[in-house]
Amino acid sequence: MKSLILGSMIVFLSLFAFSAQNSKKVAMVKLVRGDAEHLSPDGNQGKIKKGMWLKEGTIIKTGNKSFVRLNFVDKSNMNIGPKSELKIEKFSKEEAGVINVLTGKIRSQVTKDYLKMDKNKSKLFVKSRNAVMGVRGTDFLFSTNKRTGATTTVLFEGSIAFNKVNKGDNLRNLESIVSKGRMIKPGEVSIAMRARKKPTVPAKLSSKQFEKLNNNKSFKVSEVKNVKKMKSIVPPGLSGEVVSGDSGNLKEEIKKVVNVNIKEDKKEDERKTPNEQNKGFVQGDDIKPADGVMVHVDTGVVIPPGVDSKFDKNSGEWVSNTNGGINAAGEYTPPQGFTINDEGQLLKVDVETGAPKEVVVIDIKPVDKMPPIEAAPTVEYKAPVRNDQPIKGPAPAGSIDEINQEFEKNFEEILIEDEKILENNPETFDRSPDGSLVNPEEKEGYLPPPPKPADCSTCNQPDAVFNPDGTGGALPPPPPPKPGKTRTKFRINKK
């Protein structure tokens, strides 16, 4: 493991030195709230301040409850949320830019001038470890979580193409990846999950959550973390589909359950009615939550409407009073007795102590087959095992050393996770010389190390430092990458 990290550090340093040669100023900092750090390709590092210019290749990290607003050279702007880490890989007025988000969330408004480019091609690419989005519209939210492996995108205006990065995808041609993905319309949400081959089919986000997120452009935080439990708006014994259906049928069904006579409503109902699309569906790898779905944006946890939901004919979505709510910041808040942890688990907890008791299993299904949270199946909770210890001792809070240590932890967690992926998919992925996972498109010119001699003094050394001549020792640093090549993993050099 140490050899893999060492190899990755060497490649990162060579990438860093190479990119610094031709780096250019691409964005000005317009607003800073809280603590934020930067590392530019020329080695300059420190606090981000209002009015400073950031170069192409700059890495940005924001602290808890922090926020940064950037204005790019094409007059587009980007808001970076709290606890986010990203890299401005590429940006210019003439061609599509590339923003690489390791974790956290961004909100961006792409300028109208930028959209004068080919309407059928992306004007900006935003990518995470497992997904990539091609921006063809103007206003969007993009969030990814390094622990859960989920990437969420919400569109407020325009259009975007969104897809998961899978085996065989040509990472040098991001347009080819997004062009085969999901086309998202304003008001819709799609989530790329670690365990699924495709992002979810775009579904209508809860109108309440959409409105709150749309208004929260600066990522303000709400202290409301739970909502009170409420009774279902659907009477016991009925389903949401029955309640929202034909008034004549509804009257008869209610009579059976509550034994009460209901007066006829003679007004003609010309509003929307439930159908197979807005109820959600599962068709192979195409999975769509019901319209009205809520999402915990920070972790990518999906909360689909359940059988106790009622179809709102005004908004065209399913609404439930029992599955939680939305706070002022636009974030999903579970009902009392439940919480969502950093690993993206919906937990049933002890109301008095807050201690987790069980994990609620959420498997996206059509609304008429989706149990509400209270009735969803559960499994035993096991505390996650995480490597959260700094590698080289403590550092002052908010310092660049603290950022470096956090990147080290993030990078080692990625390597540990990749080892599990390799173990389960030995024929799908391979290691590059720097230790990162690559697919067949990225393995050009790479040969695995030769077998070790049967009897030598260096046989117990790791492969990454085992020279082909059998002498052992560290391999020489690799040459700088060819122009245009990008990596999704990077590491900050410590002084």
Side-chain angles (χ1 to χ4, degrees):
M1 180 65 69
K2 290 182 179 179
S3 62
L4 294 180
I5 296 176
L6 177 61
S8 301
M9 183 189 299
I10 293 172
V11 171
F12 172 77
L13 292 176
S14 63
L15 274 169
F16 212 56
F18 181 79
S19 62
Q21 297 175 3
N22 299 311
S23 58
K24 55 187 177 182
K25 295 178 180 179
V26 295
M28 175 181 282
V29 179
K30 300 298 290 184
L31 184 64
V32 181
R33 182 180 71 222
D35 294 324
E37 306 273 352
H38 74 93
L39 177 63
S40 64
D42 57 10
N44 183 32
Q45 60 185 26
K47 295 279 187 181
I48 291 179
K49 298 180 181 179
K50 181 180 179 180
M52 74 186 315
W53 277 94
L54 301 180
K55 295 182 177 181
E56 193 174 56
T58 296
I59 296 169
I60 300 169
K61 178 182 173 71
T62 59
N64 187 31
K65 296 184 179 180
S66 298
F67 164 80
V68 173
R69 175 176 294 158
L70 304 179
N71 272 22
F72 285 86
V73 290
D74 71 328
K75 298 182 181 179
S76 295
N77 64 75
M78 179 176 294
N79 297 340
I80 305 172
K83 296 189 290 186
S84 299
E85 303 170 31
L86 62 84
K87 181 180 180 182
I88 306 172
E89 288 196 355
K90 177 182 176 183
F91 206 95
S92 72
K93 293 182 180 180
E94 294 77 24
E95 55 184 345
V98 179
I99 305 296
N100 188 350
V101 184
L102 176 64
T103 194
K105 53 191 174 185
I106 63 173
R107 172 79 179 269
S108 184
Q109 290 84 37
V110 179
T111 179
K112 302 289 186 180
D113 292 340
Y114 205 24
L115 296 175
K116 289 180 181 179
M117 297 167 59
D118 189 338
K119 293 183 179 180
N120 295 320
K121 291 186 178 180
S122 302
K123 287 74 185 173
L124 175 70
F125 293 104
V126 182
K127 62 181 183 177
S128 64
R129 292 189 60 227
N130 73 328
V132 60
M133 179 178 71
V135 181
R136 301 173 184 181
T138 56
D139 192 353
F140 64 88
L141 171 69
F142 182 94
S143 176
T144 188
N145 187 295
K146 65 178 180 289
R147 293 197 182 282
T148 68
T151 299
T152 303
T153 183
V154 178
L155 182 63
F156 301 103
E157 181 183 351
S159 66
I160 52 179
F162 181 57
N163 205 0
K164 189 171 181 182
V165 177
N166 289 309
K167 171 188 172 183
D169 287 338
N170 184 0
L171 298 179
R172 298 179 182 87
N173 187 351
L174 298 179
E175 190 67 56
S176 67
I177 299 176
V178 300
S179 63
K180 297 179 289 188
R182 310 290 193 192
M183 292 302 301
I184 303 176
K185 297 182 293 185
E188 293 182 337
V189 61
S190 179
I191 305 96
M193 305 178 194
R194 180 179 289 154
R196 302 189 186 279
K197 294 182 180 180
K198 296 181 180 181
T200 59
V201 176
K204 187 178 188 302
L205 184 67
S206 158
S207 57
K208 185 176 182 179
Q209 184 169 21
F210 179 81
E211 179 184 359
K212 297 293 185 183
L213 286 176
N214 190 24
N215 293 332
N216 188 18
K217 294 179 174 62
S218 59
F219 297 111
K220 293 181 180 179
V221 178
S222 171
E223 298 302 324
V224 177
K225 303 302 179 184
N226 290 97
V227 295
K228 294 182 178 180
K229 289 184 179 180
M230 300 178 67
K231 293 183 178 180
S232 173
I233 54 180
V234 177
L238 299 178
S239 68
E241 191 168 7
V242 168
V243 171
S244 61
D246 176 79
S247 60
N249 292 336
L250 174 61
K251 184 186 71 170
E252 295 303 320
E253 292 292 336
I254 292 180
K255 280 183 179 181
K256 296 177 184 177
V257 176
V258 297
N259 195 26
V260 174
N261 289 322
I262 305 296
K263 293 183 179 180
E264 292 279 0
D265 183 0
K266 297 182 179 180
K267 292 184 179 180
E268 184 179 359
D269 189 356
E270 297 178 348
R271 298 171 182 173
K272 299 177 183 178
T273 57
N275 56 57
E276 296 304 315
Q277 289 295 316
N278 59 44
K279 287 195 299 183
F281 56 80
V282 178
Q283 299 172 359
D285 293 329
D286 294 328
I287 300 175
K288 180 186 181 297
D291 289 340
V293 62
M294 295 182 287
V295 180
H296 189 259
V297 175
D298 287 348
T299 61
V301 173
V302 181
I303 308 295
V307 293
D308 65 338
S309 303
K310 182 182 183 299
F311 188 75
D312 184 342
K313 295 177 181 179
N314 292 314
S315 62
E317 64 188 64
W318 297 88
V319 181
S320 170
N321 276 5
T322 64
N323 272 7
I326 305 298
N327 63 26
E331 191 57 88
Y332 167 74
T333 53
Q336 287 182 340
F338 297 85
T339 189
I340 295 178
N341 64 8
D342 292 339
E343 276 64 36
Q345 295 174 314
L346 178 60
L347 304 177
K348 183 177 289 187
V349 300
D350 186 285
V351 178
E352 294 182 359
T353 65
K357 299 189 295 184
E358 295 175 302
V359 179
V360 180
V361 179
I362 300 179
D363 189 14
I364 301 174
K365 297 178 181 179
V367 67
D368 52 358
K369 297 180 181 179
M370 187 74 207
I373 288 178
E374 283 281 5
T378 60
V379 296
E380 179 185 1
Y381 171 76
K382 295 181 180 179
V385 178
R386 299 191 307 208
N387 180 14
D388 284 338
Q389 296 302 317
I391 292 179
K392 295 185 178 180
S399 68
I400 194 66
D401 284 340
E402 183 183 45
I403 290 180
N404 292 342
Q405 290 173 2
E406 185 67 22
F407 268 99
E408 288 173 349
K409 291 188 293 181
N410 293 342
F411 199 82
E412 186 165 2
E413 288 165 2
I414 289 171
L415 292 177
I416 293 172
E417 180 183 320
D418 287 351
E419 291 297 336
K420 296 178 181 178
I421 296 175
L422 271 177
E423 183 179 350
N424 297 328
N425 304 273
E427 298 179 358
T428 304
F429 295 95
D430 205 343
R431 287 277 184 204
S432 65
D434 71 317
S436 61
L437 282 184
V438 293
N439 59 38
E441 292 288 335
E442 298 178 295
K443 292 192 288 185
E444 180 180 356
Y446 167 58
L447 295 175
K452 299 177 183 179
D455 183 17
C456 73
S457 61
T458 57
C459 287
N460 292 327
Q461 294 197 24
D463 290 339
V465 297
F466 187 87
N467 278 331
D469 59 8
T471 60
L475 293 173
K482 297 179 181 179
K485 183 172 182 179
T486 61
R487 288 186 180 276
T488 59
K489 297 177 183 175
F490 48 88
R491 178 181 176 84
I492 294 181
N493 180 27
K494 263 191 169 183
K495 287 188 176 181

